[in-house]
Amino acid sequence: MSAAIGFGKDLIGLEHLTAEQIRTILDVAEPFKEVSERAIKKVPALRGKTIVNLFFEPSTRTRVSFEFAEKRLSADTVNIAAMGSSVVKGETLVDTARNLEAMRIDMVVIRHSSSGAARFLAERIPSNVINAGDGQHEHPTQALLDLLTVRDRLGRIEGVRVCIAGDILHSRVARSNIWGLLKLGAEVAVCGPPTLVPPGIHELGVCVFRRLEEAIEWADVLNVLRLQLERMEAGYIPSLREYNRHFGITSARLGRAPRDILILHPGPMNRGVEIDSDVADGPHSVILHQVTNGVAVRMAVLYLLAGGAPERAEAAKRGTGDES
Amino acid sequence: MIDPSQGLDDRVDLLIADGRIARWGRDLQAPESAETVDLAPDCVISPGFVDLHAHLREPGGEHKETIASGARAAAAGGFTSVCAMPNTDPPIDDPAAVGFVRAEGMRAGAARVYPVAAATVGSQGTQMTEIGELVQAGAVAVTDDGRPIASSKIMRRLLEYTQTFGIPVLSHAEELALSGNGVMNEGLISTTLGLQGIPNAAEDVMVARDVILAGLTAGHVHICHVSTQGAVELIRAAKARGVNVTAEVTPHHLTLTDEAVQGYRTECKVNPPLRSRADVEAVRAALVEGVIDCVATDHAPHHYEEKEREFDDAPFGVVGLETALGVSLKVLVEPGLLDLAGLIDRLACRPARIVPLPEGTGTLAAGAPGDVTVFDPTKRTRVRPERFHSRSRNTPFAGWELPGVVLLTIVGGRVVHRGEAQG
Ligand SMILES: [Zn+2]
């Protein structure tokens, strides 16, 4: 099982991957990008594999991206949305694990509101488990697609200055990005209201900016996080208006930057809160590029966890690869 | 035989008769009818251990523990007296419930079970329970452990009112507004695991309030399960100015840091949470120095299925009665922080003086109750949760090799536990 590059059974997070493994995923994603550009967007690499997309939290974006990736690799997919009041949290995950095991599923893509849920499942079933976001812990495929986008646009990741802006405290995207960026040699900073910056984060080697102006002065890349409305209700910030005034990415603020800054956003966006429309749709925004890369990166992860050899990805893309 | 209450550490014989300590001395002549036990040279005879803080879960949580199984677990751990926390379902907040806990404890015939009663009706934190009646029925303290008393006014009243009845208020010091939905210690580990943190300040703020109110009222506040350096400093300063405050620390807070939670180990989810290395060092030093008076287990059994779930949803708590001696020996005696007498003092003598237990509890002086623990501090065994007498297995110490085997636990002159390795 991909022993050549030492992947485990699962992809739970980037914290425990090596720089080499992360680079391999990004490299394998390259040939898969092109598949999505074809008239017939399908290769047989995962034919005969059964994949369950198990979503305990609503997410159109990530689920659809995984589903495209799975279908383009010719896997059989089933979507399970385990949301709603009839589902008792906790018991469900154990029971679900037992059911999945009984059904001999090859791979499970899980999204869950509790940190650690993906690992919990992975420890209990023999299938490959891919974390599509667990609580405030990690969202590894999002970070991988962010890394790929930065690499596409700037030609490298090493030495690039990336600032993650917004609600760091509650963000799994921030955590996965921090691990991935640091491992690949980027300089990493975070910037947000101090109420939304988690304790101890500087111990990871991350610089903390208190003011967005300083971050913009410093950064090559801004990864702008979504601000959930409930953060205001929970008292982390006084109002959305004030948030936009002091921490929102506006063209006026960006205009004072000493260099061009690449703008990433994991979506979905709150236009007029953390990011203004003219920035989101402006020349420095690579938000749609991220969406395209999302499918390619997820194809790469699925391919590698299914046992595909990195050096055969090019052949797999042409449909002549070893399909086993 | 080591009995710090009498300054005794000597090779002597001990005679128990009619349920009480008859006398001790060299080469005692045993009466003909007496049962004699010969002990290996390394064995220690100690006053029976006293646990001020155990959740025995009955009524309402019998799938986790019963008073009987808890009393047997206590005996297996060398405890001859155990104080049962009142946060059951329903809570122990009336004299009949206190009577029930006492009666069940006696029926179990293992460690003595002393009820702790709820401090407020239904542990709702608004109206004091009938503390006089509860004490008459057998309660040795009051607390709303698990549901900290948010109102400073109620805490003040409790510290005033309890003085008539000579019992302490046991305080689970936690400012709920600061701990919020936290599930572990706040710090680097909570950040990387993406789990909500509980800052040290949640404990420190409440300990500060409690010692200030104890100072105001001259009432006796006992701070439960101290876990932070800040709380230690506050208690030290309060004691120095003569405030009537005592404190306990658990074996797990003396041993483990928040790093143990890595991997989302629900068996390490406990409240107060496992803290930083600096906090562990601070509570150890405080216990040695006497700022913290004693070791208490905060034995909190949970059923396997309840802990087998996402970290956020698992309940707080670890079992402790059957590992307390071993863990304490490992982290306090083996590194030389305390000698055996010092540990026995903190497991038996000092806790017995914090709550009003029957005269002579915590000593082996002639005339005292015949509550004795015999253990071999040199023998090492592996922690095997499947062999616990407790109904629950939620220990963070599974598989640890710990020193100290309890050979005999004697309550009122009757052997209630006999260790396997006796010889
Ligand atoms: Zn407590």
Side-chain angles (χ1 to χ4, degrees):
Chain A
M1 191 135 298
S2 309
I5 52 164
F7 279 115
K9 174 172 82 70
D10 315 296
L11 178 65
I12 303 303
L14 298 193
E15 182 183 359
H16 299 294
L17 292 190
T18 63
E20 201 43 51
Q21 289 171 326
I22 294 172
R23 262 185 229 113
T24 302
I25 299 173
L26 300 184
D27 292 345
V28 169
E30 289 295 343
F32 285 131
K33 280 182 192 168
E34 189 253 328
V35 175
S36 303
E37 307 296 330
R38 298 182 191 166
I40 298 170
K41 302 175 175 58
K42 219 166 175 106
V43 293
L46 259 60
R47 199 157 62 196
K49 298 273 184 193
T50 318
I51 304 180
V52 169
N53 297 315
L54 183 61
F55 278 63
F56 290 88
E57 235 184 23
S59 156
T60 311
R61 192 170 283 257
T62 304
R63 188 183 52 71
V64 166
S65 180
F66 266 108
E67 215 179 324
F68 273 132
E70 292 154 4
K71 294 206 157 123
R72 285 174 192 175
L73 292 170
S74 306
D76 297 319
T77 67
V78 178
N79 292 322
I80 302 177
M83 277 110 38
S85 55
S86 63
V87 174
V88 183
K89 256 173 96 189
E91 288 165 34
T92 318
L93 198 49
V94 179
D95 291 341
T96 309
R98 289 173 190 147
N99 287 331
L100 290 173
E101 194 178 347
M103 288 188 285
R104 306 280 179 267
I105 304 296
D106 294 300
M107 300 179 127
V108 179
V109 175
I110 178 176
R111 157 72 61 99
H112 198 285
S113 59
S114 279
S115 300
R119 178 181 172 135
F120 181 95
L121 186 68
E123 285 170 349
R124 283 161 184 78
I125 58 173
S127 327
N128 306 107
V129 172
I130 298 168
N131 183 5
D134 64 325
Q136 299 161 9
H137 175 226
E138 285 225 39
H139 190 354
T141 56
Q142 176 69 45
L144 288 165
L145 75 88
D146 291 345
L147 292 169
L148 188 61
T149 307
V150 171
R151 197 173 79 170
D152 283 353
R153 290 302 177 110
L154 302 181
R156 67 195 163 97
I157 290 166
E158 199 176 345
V160 171
R161 292 173 161 186
V162 181
C163 180
I164 306 166
D167 179 3
I168 315 296
L169 180 64
H170 299 97
S171 175
R172 52 194 172 212
V173 174
R175 284 167 180 77
S176 287
N177 261 285
I178 288 169
W179 294 122
L181 288 163
L182 288 174
K183 281 168 200 276
L184 296 191
E187 289 184 55
V188 186
V190 298
C191 178
T195 48
L196 293 172
V197 174
I201 192 136
H202 60 278
E203 293 172 53
L204 298 176
V206 170
C207 172
V208 179
F209 287 115
R210 292 287 176 221
R211 304 189 70 88
L212 195 54
E213 289 74 14
E214 296 164 17
I216 286 172
E217 175 102 7
W218 174 87
D220 301 313
V221 178
L222 273 181
N223 198 339
V224 186
L225 302 175
R226 173 181 169 78
L227 184 86
Q228 312 264 14
L229 190 63
E230 57 258 38
R231 304 304 168 221
M232 188 187 78
E233 287 151 6
Y236 287 99
I237 54 163
S239 72
L240 296 181
R241 192 181 72 138
E242 169 146 316
Y243 185 85
N244 182 256
R245 288 265 174 88
H246 294 272
F247 298 97
I249 312 297
T250 61
S251 52
R253 272 212 176 85
L254 278 184
R256 288 192 287 275
R259 65 189 79 80
D260 283 350
I261 297 184
L262 216 58
I263 304 291
L264 280 73
H265 192 299
M269 284 181 280
N270 283 317
R271 289 168 185 266
V273 181
E274 74 268 5
I275 190 163
D276 281 1
S277 278
D278 50 354
V279 176
D281 307 328
H284 305 308
S285 165
V286 290
I287 295 169
L288 292 176
H289 189 159
Q290 286 175 275
V291 176
T292 313
N293 278 351
V295 178
V297 148
R298 289 175 178 121
M299 287 173 81
V301 167
L302 292 162
Y303 171 80
L304 288 168
L305 285 182
E311 63 279 7
R312 294 236 177 103
E314 186 66 34
K317 165 194 106 174
R318 290 194 300 270
T320 55
D322 177 2
E323 296 162 24
S324 62
Chain B
M1 179 162 130
I2 302 177
D3 180 3
S5 74
Q6 306 178 74
L8 175 72
D9 185 348
D10 203 356
R11 206 163 283 277
V12 293
D13 298 330
L14 175 73
L15 180 67
I16 307 170
D18 303 324
R20 298 196 159 265
I21 306 296
R23 58 185 174 277
W24 53 262
R26 279 176 194 274
D27 305 316
L28 280 193
Q29 210 51 37
E32 255 174 47
S33 58
E35 180 197 346
T36 60
V37 181
D38 288 321
L39 299 170
D42 284 332
C43 291
V44 173
I45 303 174
S46 156
F49 304 155
V50 175
D51 187 12
L52 293 181
H53 197 139
H55 297 270
L56 303 188
R57 302 298 188 207
E58 191 178 351
E62 290 83 355
H63 60 297
K64 301 168 192 256
E65 196 79 285
T66 61
I67 291 168
S69 67
R72 284 195 299 273
F79 291 93
T80 54
S81 298
V82 55
C83 296
M85 290 290 125
N87 63 334
T88 50
D89 185 17
I92 308 300
D93 65 353
D94 67 40
V98 170
F100 166 79
V101 173
R102 269 191 60 177
E104 284 301 301
M106 283 180 201
R107 221 160 60 93
R112 301 179 197 265
V113 176
Y114 294 103
V116 175
T120 65
V121 175
S123 285
Q124 295 294 316
T126 47
Q127 187 193 346
M128 278 196 286
T129 48
E130 294 174 324
I131 292 171
E133 301 294 305
L134 295 167
V135 169
Q136 217 150 50
V140 297
V142 291
T143 187
D144 281 354
D145 184 49
R147 294 183 81 163
I149 296 164
S151 160
S152 301
K153 181 182 80 179
I154 295 291
M155 192 54 152
R156 174 195 178 160
R157 298 272 185 263
L158 285 164
L159 287 167
E160 287 168 339
Y161 192 72
T162 47
Q163 291 176 54
T164 294
F165 306 102
I167 58 163
V169 178
L170 315 184
S171 170
H172 169 122
E174 176 184 354
E175 170 55 85
L176 290 171
L178 281 173
S179 53
N181 297 323
V183 293
M184 69 169 296
N185 183 48
E186 181 176 291
L188 178 61
I189 311 278
S190 68
T191 291
T192 58
L193 290 176
L195 293 172
Q196 267 205 56
I198 301 173
N200 281 25
E203 180 167 331
D204 301 350
V205 163
M206 224 38 157
V207 170
R209 180 200 75 172
D210 288 346
V211 296
I212 287 166
L213 293 176
L216 172 70
T217 59
H220 176 187
V221 67
H222 174 77
I223 308 293
C224 298
H225 40 59
V226 173
S227 76
T228 68
Q229 200 172 6
V232 165
E233 294 314 319
L234 288 159
I235 295 164
R236 186 201 314 277
K239 282 189 167 183
R241 57 177 195 268
V243 172
N244 191 358
V245 53
T246 53
E248 70 190 30
V249 60
T250 70
H252 46 276
H253 289 114
L254 285 165
T255 309
L256 301 168
T257 67
D258 54 359
E259 298 209 8
V261 175
Q262 302 243 35
Y264 300 94
R265 291 180 57 203
T266 57
E267 69 271 27
C268 295
K269 181 175 174 181
V270 64
N271 189 16
L274 301 173
R275 300 285 189 184
S276 70
R277 176 55 52 194
D279 292 306
V280 170
E281 300 296 335
V283 293
R284 282 185 189 175
L287 183 68
V288 170
E289 202 189 326
V291 170
I292 294 175
D293 299 82
C294 64
V295 174
T297 65
D298 195 7
H299 177 80
H302 289 293
H303 193 260
Y304 170 80
E305 296 283 354
E306 295 169 310
K307 283 281 194 180
E308 174 76 357
R309 55 170 63 180
E310 300 92 307
F311 198 88
D312 280 336
D313 298 333
F316 290 103
V318 303
V319 291
L321 286 167
E322 293 170 79
T323 49
L325 173 65
V327 171
S328 303
L329 284 166
K330 184 181 171 74
V331 301
L332 299 169
V333 176
E334 287 195 341
L337 293 174
L338 287 176
D339 58 13
L340 277 172
L343 179 61
I344 290 168
D345 198 21
R346 287 153 181 86
L347 275 172
C349 311
R350 295 192 193 196
R353 294 195 287 265
I354 290 172
V355 294
L357 299 184
E359 187 67 30
T361 305
T363 175
L364 295 178
D371 295 358
V372 181
T373 299
V374 178
F375 65 98
D376 183 344
T378 60
K379 203 166 169 57
R380 305 180 78 87
T381 50
R382 206 162 281 286
V383 177
R384 293 199 195 137
E386 69 278 9
R387 294 203 179 168
F388 281 169
H389 293 73
S390 167
R391 285 202 169 177
S392 292
R393 313 267 175 267
N394 51 306
T395 173
F397 300 112
W400 283 41
E401 201 192 79
L402 295 176
V405 171
V406 176
L407 302 176
L408 284 176
T409 308
I410 300 168
V411 173
R414 206 168 61 81
V415 174
V416 296
H417 173 78
R418 224 177 263 275
E420 300 157 25
Q422 198 187 340

